[in-house]
Amino acid sequence: MSNSADSPRTGTTGSAPDPAPDSAPEPSPAASRAVPAPVSGDRRGGFRPVRVLTVGVFALAGLLFFTSFTTAKGTNIRTDASLLKLSDLIQERSQKNGELDETNGALRDDVESLAEADDGSTRAQDDKLAGLEKNAGTQKVKGRAITVTLDDAPPDATAKLPGYPEPQPDYLVIHQQDLQAVVNALWQGGAQGIKVMDQRLISTSAVRCVGNTLILQGRVYSPPYKIQAVGDPEKLQQALAEAPSIQNYMVYVNVYGLGWKVTEDGTVTLPGYSGTVDLHYAKPVE
């Protein structure tokens, strides 16, 4: 080989001989593998934020699992079981109130029987007391009667007549004012006594609705609602037909299918009111 300055293996002029053509150059330690850069700090004792974050995530997950376990207590908390239990509780309390009303009525009959045995009152006083009890609704009343039935419309009801909008959910259910309108019209028509569902109304009775259920004197009812009144059937039905609020209700009956039915029942006997007559009212805080 030539040692001339134009040798392709050297970038500068030099006297070092070229290696033999059939021998490979020995790689120097510096050229064969790059030396890794030094790591600052102690790798085993340094602060690692990722580890702290991982520990925190696992701790939070454990807390969530524990909370879910203690809340569920072996039940499925993703269902509406709690709502179903609440509705069952309401029905149970309503049934219990009905049983207490019956017991109260039986005890009241016993007290009245004992009082009539020897109460020291005159016949005139007894007749006056019987009249007051009849007007108060605590005694049975017998006579010709009619029954008015109100019910919700089908949930998929549509407008039956042209020119009316499609119903909103509020249009398809019986409201408190509908029941009150029927009761007021029957009183206006000369009803001697009125029974809503299985309870006799008195002067302090309040017909109240919560959602699509009726709450009457501590008991809960669902539609259809039946209102029975003792009196002259013709006058009672005329009073219903002339009441403006019921005329408005009949529009919803004809357009959206709300339930409405009036039947004559012949001679019936309405039970006397057997619940408590105590008044409950708010008192100012002292």
Side-chain angles (χ1 to χ4, degrees):
M1 287 292 242
S2 171
N3 290 331
S4 61
D6 57 351
S7 173
R9 294 188 177 272
T10 57
T12 59
T13 303
S15 60
D18 291 338
D22 54 351
S23 63
E26 290 187 11
S28 64
S32 63
R33 189 180 299 276
V35 178
V39 178
S40 60
D42 189 355
R43 296 185 58 171
R44 290 178 294 179
F47 177 72
R48 298 292 299 274
V50 176
R51 291 186 177 180
V52 176
L53 180 60
T54 302
V55 173
V57 169
F58 278 104
L60 180 59
L63 178 61
L64 291 176
F65 282 127
F66 177 77
T67 303
S68 177
F69 173 78
T70 55
T71 302
K73 294 182 179 179
T75 62
N76 187 359
I77 61 176
R78 296 185 178 181
T79 64
D80 294 335
S82 59
L83 298 179
L84 297 177
K85 291 179 181 179
L86 178 59
S87 63
D88 293 342
L89 177 61
I90 294 174
Q91 293 295 333
E92 180 184 351
R93 293 294 175 85
S94 178
Q95 182 179 358
K96 183 65 175 180
N97 288 340
E99 296 174 355
L100 292 175
D101 287 343
E102 294 178 359
T103 303
N104 186 39
L107 293 175
R108 181 178 296 172
D109 292 340
D110 294 341
V111 171
E112 291 177 354
S113 299
L114 293 174
E116 291 175 357
D118 186 15
D119 58 357
S121 61
T122 64
R123 182 58 181 265
Q125 291 173 334
D126 291 339
D127 293 341
K128 183 178 181 180
L129 178 61
L132 293 174
E133 290 177 340
K134 182 179 180 180
N135 293 334
T138 58
Q139 296 296 319
K140 298 179 181 179
V141 59
K142 182 179 180 179
R144 299 169 61 193
I146 68 170
T147 296
V148 181
T149 304
L150 298 87
D151 199 0
D152 294 341
D156 57 348
T158 58
K160 298 180 180 180
L161 300 178
Y164 289 91
E166 289 303 313
Q168 301 178 11
D170 193 52
Y171 296 175
L172 306 179
V173 296
I174 302 299
H175 293 285
Q176 176 176 315
Q177 62 264 26
D178 303 325
L179 296 171
Q180 290 175 338
V182 173
V183 171
N184 292 336
L186 293 174
W187 286 128
Q188 185 68 27
Q192 301 174 17
I194 297 177
K195 181 181 71 171
V196 176
M197 303 303 282
D198 58 350
Q199 292 196 75
R200 179 79 175 274
L201 296 187
I202 59 175
S203 59
T204 57
S205 300
V207 178
R208 296 183 293 117
C209 287
V210 177
N212 62 338
T213 59
L214 167 66
I215 298 180
L216 178 61
Q217 294 162 170
R219 299 171 63 182
V220 182
Y221 303 92
S222 298
Y225 303 117
K226 295 182 179 294
I227 303 174
Q228 189 176 49
V230 169
D232 187 331
E234 295 182 359
K235 292 183 179 180
L236 295 175
Q237 294 184 63
Q238 182 179 358
L240 291 172
E242 294 177 351
S245 54
I246 295 182
Q247 293 175 0
N248 181 68
Y249 176 83
M250 294 305 297
V251 174
Y252 288 80
V253 172
N254 297 325
V255 176
Y256 302 117
L258 282 177
W260 175 264
K261 184 179 180 181
V262 180
T263 58
E264 294 189 16
D265 303 327
T267 302
V268 301
T269 300
L270 296 185
Y273 175 74
S274 59
T276 179
V277 294
D278 296 335
L279 297 178
H280 301 276
Y281 50 90
K283 297 180 180 179
V285 178
E286 297 181 356

